[in-house]
């Protein structure tokens, strides 16, 4: 189905696989850059990842490092990093880390490209005009957020206690570096939940209101990669093929949902994070089968096709046509159960130990104010959200 | 053609503001929607990028909606990418959710704060448009708390009905 009108943007280059890090100097030189600001966090520094990156960037000045980035990136951090960039006379950005580091880097890229404008003045959706080009390379160290391929940055405003959303085609990193060394030390529990976040991005992109032929192609590729390699990545962390499949799946899912948006799982998941501080990836894994069950009657064809990509041609052919959509949901439930048995990933809200039923009302209220709810294929009212939370508890 | 569309958009924006103002006094969900914004919070809707495109600027002041100058900076500004795009939305041919999904407008301000306005606009559409049209525009049409005729009467005579005190 082709929508009446759609837009799609994915302008990034991808360097994926063995020795990808060693290609950073070449990529920088192609952009006439030689003095990057490296953005990362202290945990990755302690784990030796920063050293690994600096060693790989042979011949490039790697002395300018900003590592004071903490979970839930803030506009203060963006301002400090942008000042540091200017003071050091840097000419490019290399961001190595998870969603928070990459979102901070997107904020810095915006500020620098807009000639030092205050980050708060740049907030908006598709409103930012193209500024001065800032070479920007992203090196993700988790396989989940897909931030390296998205046009979105979420940055907190601690004084106002709100999360600011920046949506612009100009904040997408120009190069994504996917190197197996970056994710091989991720513990199984984190590998599992972040992969479910990525799978959720792909499934929501494949079924939400803004889906289009291009986002479908990306979503299907991501679903296939993630579903066929996730268990291996969890049980055999050093399996390079599985790790690269997860890194690629996450990045491709990021490109899909950046264009087609996400839906009810994310709207409720964001609210669970805001009200109860449930980790985003855990919320995604828990909610996905419940929201899919809710959407089933309007997504029967989509979820039927999903079975082919999730479970493969054998399972698809073996299922009766009218059972396939339901089987897709069962496949997600059984994947969740296996991950719970293997590495203790929570599959009910109660197992997170962060929420009690008296908070459901507040969560539902907050979810209704989340923009992602607009893209869910079926209207989600407050009563339904509360019912869904009860089921997921 | 474009001039005619621009003219119609200007009229619809004026009617829309009157409806929002009226419903903010009468409909509990509209009231809750706007009162979630801090006092003085301001909005602007531009029906196109051209300098002469129709504009609606208003703010929430002491729980009421007030029109304000188009020159004053606002917290949330929604600009339709063209007058024909605005025409589609303002004449009920395209839903607000679908126009967001379809990249028909861009926004200055925190997108996280736009949902409250979107809910209020959809509520106004549910009163102003006939049900068969609303059902095409929204996944779920909000129920009316009172007949749409009262809103139309309120548009014609905005002060008269406010004394009924609901
Ligand atoms: Fe997510």
């Amino acid at each position: 189905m082709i929508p009446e009108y759609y837009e799609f943007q994915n302008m990034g280059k991808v360097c994926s696989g063995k020795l990808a890090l060693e290609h950073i100097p070449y990529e920088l030189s192609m952009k006439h850059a030689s003095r990057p600001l490296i953005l990362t966090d202290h945990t990755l520094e302690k784990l030796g990842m920063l050293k690994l990156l600096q060693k790989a960037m042979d011949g490039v000045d790697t002395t300018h490092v900003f590592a004071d980035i903490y979970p839930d990136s803030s506009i203060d951090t963006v301002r400090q990093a942008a000042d540091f960039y200017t003071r050091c006379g840097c000419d490019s950005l290399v961001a190595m880390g998870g969603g928070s580091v990459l979102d901070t880097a997107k904020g810095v890229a915006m500020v620098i490209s807009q000639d030092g404008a205050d980050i708060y003045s740049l907030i908006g959706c598709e409103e930012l005009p193209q500024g001065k080009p800032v070479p920007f390379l992203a090196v993700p160290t988790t396989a989940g957020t897909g931030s390296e391929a998205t046009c979105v940055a979420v940055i907190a405003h601690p004084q106002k206690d709100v999360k600011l959303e920046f949506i612009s085609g100009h904040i997408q990193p120009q190069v994504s570096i996917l190197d197996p060394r970056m994710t091989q030390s991720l513990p199984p529990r984190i590998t599992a939940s972040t992969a479910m976040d990525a799978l959720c991005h792909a499934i929501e992109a494949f079924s939400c209101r803004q889906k289009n032929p291009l986002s479908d192609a990306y979503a299907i590729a991501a679903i296939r990669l993630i579903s066929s390699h996730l268990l291996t990545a969890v049980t055999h962390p050093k399996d390079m093929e599985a790790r690269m499949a997860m890194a690629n799946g996450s990045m491709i899912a990021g490109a899909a949902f950046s264009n087609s948006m996400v839906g009810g799982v994310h709207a409720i998941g964001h609210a669970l994070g805001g009200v109860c501080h449930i980790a985003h990836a855990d919320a995604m894994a828990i909610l996905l089968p419940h929201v899919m069950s809710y959407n089933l009657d309007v997504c029967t064809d989509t979820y039927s096709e999903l079975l082919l990509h999730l479970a493969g041609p054998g399972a698809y052919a073996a299922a009766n046509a009218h059972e396939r959509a339901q089987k897709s949901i069962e496949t997600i439930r059984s994947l969740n159960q296996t991950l719970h048995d293997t590495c203790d990933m929570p599959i009910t809200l109660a197992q997170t130990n962060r929420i009690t039923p008296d908070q459901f009302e507040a969560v539902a209220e907050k979810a209704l104010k989340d923009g992602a709810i607009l893209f869910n294929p079926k209207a989600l009212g407050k009563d339904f959200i509360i019912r869904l939370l009860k089921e997921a508890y | 053609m474009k001039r005619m569309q621009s003219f119609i958009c200007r009229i619809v924006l004026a009617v829309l503001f009157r409806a929002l103002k009226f419903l903010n006094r009468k409909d509990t969900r509209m009231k809750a929607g706007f009162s979630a914004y801090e006092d003085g919070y301001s909005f602007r809707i531009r029906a196109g990028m051209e300098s002469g495109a129709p504009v609606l600027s208003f703010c929430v002041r002491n729980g009421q909606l007030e029109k304000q100058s188009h020159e004053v900076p606002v917290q949330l500004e929604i600009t339709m990418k063209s007058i024909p795009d605005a025409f589609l939305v303002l004449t009920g041919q395209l839903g607000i959710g679908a126009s967001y999904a379809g990249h028909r407008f861009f926004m200055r301000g925190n997108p996280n704060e736009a949902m409250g306005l979107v809910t209020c606009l959809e509520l106004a559409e549910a009163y102003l448009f006939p049900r068969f049209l609303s059902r095409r525009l929204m996944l779920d049409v909000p129920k009316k708390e009172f007949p749409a005729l009262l809103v139309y009467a309120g548009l014609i005579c905005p002060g008269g009905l406010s004394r009924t005190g609901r």
Side-chain angles (χ1 to χ4, degrees), chain B residues 87-106:
Chain B
F87 184 76
L88 283 180
V89 175
L90 292 173
T91 54
Q93 296 175 68
L94 188 69
I96 294 158
S99 71
Y100 183 26
H103 303 269
R104 303 272 177 189
F105 61 77
F106 57 91

Side-chain angles (χ1 to χ4, degrees), chain A residues 144-145 197-198 200-201 257 262 266 270 280 284:
Chain A
T145 66
D197 182 23
C200 185
H201 292 154
F257 90 82
V262 278
H266 273 78
H270 292 153
H280 176 74
M284 297 300 102

